[in-house]
Amino acid sequence: MSNRRAFCAEGAAEVDFKTGTAKAKAPDATGTVDISVIIPAYNAAKTIARCLDSVLQQQPRIETIVIDDCSTDDTFEICREYQANFDNIRIVRNETNIGQGLSCNKGIELAKGEYLAFVDSDDVISRYMYEDLCLWCAGVGTTFQAVS
């Protein structure tokens, strides 16, 4: 998975286990994507709008990648409506149902951000979640030791 690091929607800190450090880049005005948020979705029509609303209010520069895993409800159509109104959303629809894990892998392949985040389609995240996490990770002298 190249040099990217990952943290999850539950708020765990992003840690580079090779170097034992945590870091985050401040958002810039060049269009650089700091965080790629990957959302695998299957038959999530009842929850996907609430999930996308919470992700789209984040402060760091993010891209949102929704992988629709052949939903049989209106999930894909709801996501297309969001894509029409936001330029940082990409929607991919799998040709066959491949499951959550492989859908996440597809999102990773498409991601442009330095950091990866995963949010389930029925999750709602705090408005300041990624901003707080970036600030915390960028703290002066913050280091972590990975112990196996």
Side-chain angles (χ1 to χ4, degrees), residues 1-5 16 18 114:
M1 177 177 20
S2 72
N3 290 328
R4 291 193 190 120
R5 280 81 59 185
D16 183 340
K18 280 184 160 180
E114 180 177 355

Side-chain angles (χ1 to χ4, degrees), residues 51-79:
C51 175
L52 288 171
D53 287 342
S54 72
V55 170
L56 291 169
Q57 64 183 346
Q58 299 299 308
Q59 296 302 313
R61 294 212 34 101
I62 65 167
E63 69 173 337
T64 304
I65 303 169
V66 179
I67 309 295
D68 179 69
D69 198 19
C70 296
S71 295
T72 58
D73 62 4
D74 291 331
T75 300
F76 185 73
E77 290 74 21
I78 293 168
C79 292

Side-chain angles (χ1 to χ4, degrees), residues 1-147:
M1 177 177 20
S2 72
N3 290 328
R4 291 193 190 120
R5 280 81 59 185
F7 48 86
C8 64
E10 287 76 40
E14 175 280 319
V15 178
D16 183 340
F17 287 100
K18 280 184 160 180
T19 63
T21 61
K23 97 174 197 191
K25 287 174 42 177
D28 63 25
T30 65
T32 301
V33 175
D34 295 315
I35 302 171
S36 295
V37 179
I38 299 167
I39 305 172
Y42 177 72
N43 287 348
K46 293 181 181 178
T47 60
I48 193 69
R50 200 174 52 212
C51 175
L52 288 171
D53 287 342
S54 72
V55 170
L56 291 169
Q57 64 183 346
Q58 299 299 308
Q59 296 302 313
R61 294 212 34 101
I62 65 167
E63 69 173 337
T64 304
I65 303 169
V66 179
I67 309 295
D68 179 69
D69 198 19
C70 296
S71 295
T72 58
D73 62 4
D74 291 331
T75 300
F76 185 73
E77 290 74 21
I78 293 168
C79 292
R80 293 289 302 236
E81 289 176 23
Y82 274 83
Q83 186 179 39
N85 293 307
F86 296 91
D87 60 358
N88 64 337
I89 296 180
R90 282 194 283 169
I91 314 278
V92 176
R93 188 168 203 175
N94 294 335
E95 292 179 16
T96 60
N97 183 280
I98 59 175
Q100 183 177 12
L102 292 176
S103 292
C104 285
N105 288 347
K106 188 179 273 191
I108 291 169
E109 291 173 9
L110 297 171
K112 296 178 183 174
E114 180 177 355
Y115 297 93
L116 300 175
F118 299 90
V119 177
D120 288 337
S121 60
D122 62 348
D123 286 347
V124 175
I125 61 175
S126 163
R127 177 183 180 128
Y128 303 104
M129 182 179 147
Y130 295 134
E131 179 182 19
D132 289 347
L133 188 56
C134 287
L135 291 171
W136 182 75
C137 289
V140 176
T142 303
T143 60
F144 295 88
Q145 296 296 321
V147 179

